Amino acid sequence: MAAPPSAPVPRSPCYLKRPAPGPQCSWGMEERAAAGARCRESPGPLRAAAVPYFGISVQQDDILPGALRLIQELRPHWKPEQVRTKRFTDGITNKLVACYVEEDMRDCVLVRVYGERTELLVDRENEVRNFQLLRAHGCAPKLYCTFQNGLCYEYMPGVALGPEHIREPRLFRLIALEMAKIHTIHTNGSLPKPILWHKMHNYFTLVKNEINPSLSADVPKIEVLERELAWLKEHLSQLDSPVVFCHNDLLCKNIIYDSTKGHVRFIDYEYAGYNYQAFDIGNHFNEFAGVNEVDYCRYPARETQLQWLRYYLQAQKGMAVTSREVERLYVQVNKFALPLEEIENVSLILLVSLLC
């Protein structure tokens, strides 16, 4: 997920006004109650087609032998000596290898191996349900199988985008249209609660239990983080941002552009689920700043955002939208994007990344 800037940079007039520090709040009471009741995320389609499972474990430091065993199950007509492989290096928490026999990779199987300890952050059963749901709506590739520590799915031709690409109007229009399409997916008649606070409660618990003793001196104390989270929940919950089905991790490298078909598709659905509309968009806008060399001077300017949001709203509603509608979403998005000058601490997500 996107992390907040490393230094305060003016970005938008729509900042949250932080109150004076108050007493510590039990911000996670509802989340703890939900966890006690074994509350889970929306299960997606109740009768999704079964996905084949193979009791094969693929070693992270030696992927090819395990990957080829899976290929023998999925493509028994392929001759082992003809199978070609290609490693991908853009994954943050997973390792990925492509297996194919044809030069044009027309029929290509991607084998993705989960990163160590990522089960602390990701509900893998829910990820498979998300995969199937998005596939049913034409937003994801085919899911071929799961195995002990990963899954195999269809290769989608195209180019993984970078920060320099998502700022191009012709491409960010396609991204806005695809996000609008995903945000209109409904698994049933009613919308569940946003997963944001439940997830953050889980992450906060990991911070306390797993890495608290090793936190550096410049990281705020647990009590400060807890107050910060209580404040975030209090203010962001009042924005009335619609709850929609979200990707929740729209990194540049999770966006694949197919120039031959003129569209983009999103990949990696580990964090997908119902969440605030403005969170998904704001999280993506943070990606404009880059990943390895973060520069928040590249965060999208107001006019760029308004154009992006107009594309999005028109696609979502299927009709022209007013400037007032665009402006309202702009305000919500920039509050969920969380300018660093409005919060005391570094991102909790960044802290949890220390676990991986």
Side-chain angles (χ1 to χ4, degrees), residues 188-235:
N188 47 48
S190 61
L191 290 177
K193 292 182 179 180
I195 66 173
L196 180 61
W197 310 119
H198 181 63
K199 284 284 189 183
M200 291 191 74
H201 170 68
N202 290 342
Y203 294 169
F204 184 70
T205 300
L206 288 172
V207 169
K208 289 195 295 186
N209 297 339
E210 298 284 341
I211 64 175
N212 184 34
S214 62
L215 292 178
S216 60
D218 58 343
V219 174
K221 295 182 178 180
I222 291 297
E223 294 77 14
V224 176
L225 290 172
E226 190 164 31
R227 286 197 300 270
E228 188 74 22
L229 290 169
W231 174 78
L232 288 174
K233 183 175 182 180
E234 177 187 356
H235 286 77

Side-chain angles (χ1 to χ4, degrees), residues 63 86-91 94-98 109-113 151 153 155 267-268:
I63 295 178
K86 178 181 178 181
R87 294 175 183 268
F88 293 90
T89 58
D90 291 327
N94 307 293
K95 292 192 175 181
L96 188 66
V97 62
V109 178
L110 293 178
V111 180
R112 192 178 82 187
V113 183
L151 45 80
Y153 56 96
Y155 171 76
I267 60 172
D268 290 356

Side-chain angles (χ1 to χ4, degrees), residues 18-250:
R18 182 173 183 81
Q24 180 173 340
C25 300
S26 299
W27 78 278
M29 290 181 62
E30 295 177 15
E31 286 67 31
R32 285 191 287 270
R38 301 187 178 215
C39 176
R40 297 186 63 110
E41 298 170 21
S42 172
L46 297 179
R47 296 186 179 182
V51 178
Y53 170 80
F54 298 109
I56 295 173
S57 179
V58 179
Q59 298 298 319
Q60 276 217 346
D61 54 355
D62 190 17
I63 295 178
L64 293 184
L68 292 175
R69 286 180 60 198
L70 288 164
I71 292 302
Q72 290 176 0
E73 299 286 349
L74 296 172
R75 298 291 186 272
H77 58 284
W78 286 4
K79 296 180 180 180
E81 65 273 11
Q82 294 180 343
V83 176
R84 304 181 183 187
T85 60
K86 178 181 178 181
R87 294 175 183 268
F88 293 90
T89 58
D90 291 327
I92 297 176
T93 58
N94 307 293
K95 292 192 175 181
L96 188 66
V97 62
C99 300
Y100 59 98
V101 293
E102 308 236 355
E103 187 72 34
D104 59 5
M105 300 177 69
R106 183 168 41 204
D107 182 15
C108 177
V109 178
L110 293 178
V111 180
R112 192 178 82 187
V113 183
Y114 301 143
E116 294 183 7
R117 305 190 76 191
T118 54
E119 70 278 1
L120 293 173
L121 306 175
V122 179
D123 181 340
R124 294 302 179 183
E125 292 182 5
N126 193 64
E127 177 187 11
V128 171
R129 289 191 292 265
N130 292 334
F131 213 122
Q132 293 176 288
L133 173 64
L134 289 164
R135 172 64 185 173
H137 287 82
C139 298
K142 295 177 183 177
L143 179 59
Y144 294 134
C145 76
T146 62
F147 53 94
Q148 286 185 13
N149 60 327
L151 45 80
C152 298
Y153 56 96
E154 178 186 19
Y155 171 76
M156 290 193 301
V159 178
L161 301 184
E164 69 278 11
H165 300 122
I166 62 174
R167 292 192 293 271
E168 297 179 18
R170 67 184 181 88
L171 290 180
F172 74 58
R173 174 181 175 274
L174 296 177
I175 296 169
L177 298 184
E178 185 68 6
M179 186 180 286
K181 182 179 180 180
I182 290 176
H183 284 184
T184 57
I185 292 175
H186 298 290
T187 59
N188 47 48
S190 61
L191 290 177
K193 292 182 179 180
I195 66 173
L196 180 61
W197 310 119
H198 181 63
K199 284 284 189 183
M200 291 191 74
H201 170 68
N202 290 342
Y203 294 169
F204 184 70
T205 300
L206 288 172
V207 169
K208 289 195 295 186
N209 297 339
E210 298 284 341
I211 64 175
N212 184 34
S214 62
L215 292 178
S216 60
D218 58 343
V219 174
K221 295 182 178 180
I222 291 297
E223 294 77 14
V224 176
L225 290 172
E226 190 164 31
R227 286 197 300 270
E228 188 74 22
L229 290 169
W231 174 78
L232 288 174
K233 183 175 182 180
E234 177 187 356
H235 286 77
L236 295 178
S237 298
Q238 296 175 7
L239 295 178
D240 295 326
S241 177
V243 176
V244 297
F245 191 81
C246 294
H247 184 280
N248 289 321
D249 190 26
L250 206 54

Side-chain angles (χ1 to χ4, degrees), residues 290-301:
V291 178
N292 297 322
E293 297 180 3
V294 178
D295 180 2
Y296 264 80
C297 291
R298 298 182 296 196
Y299 184 87

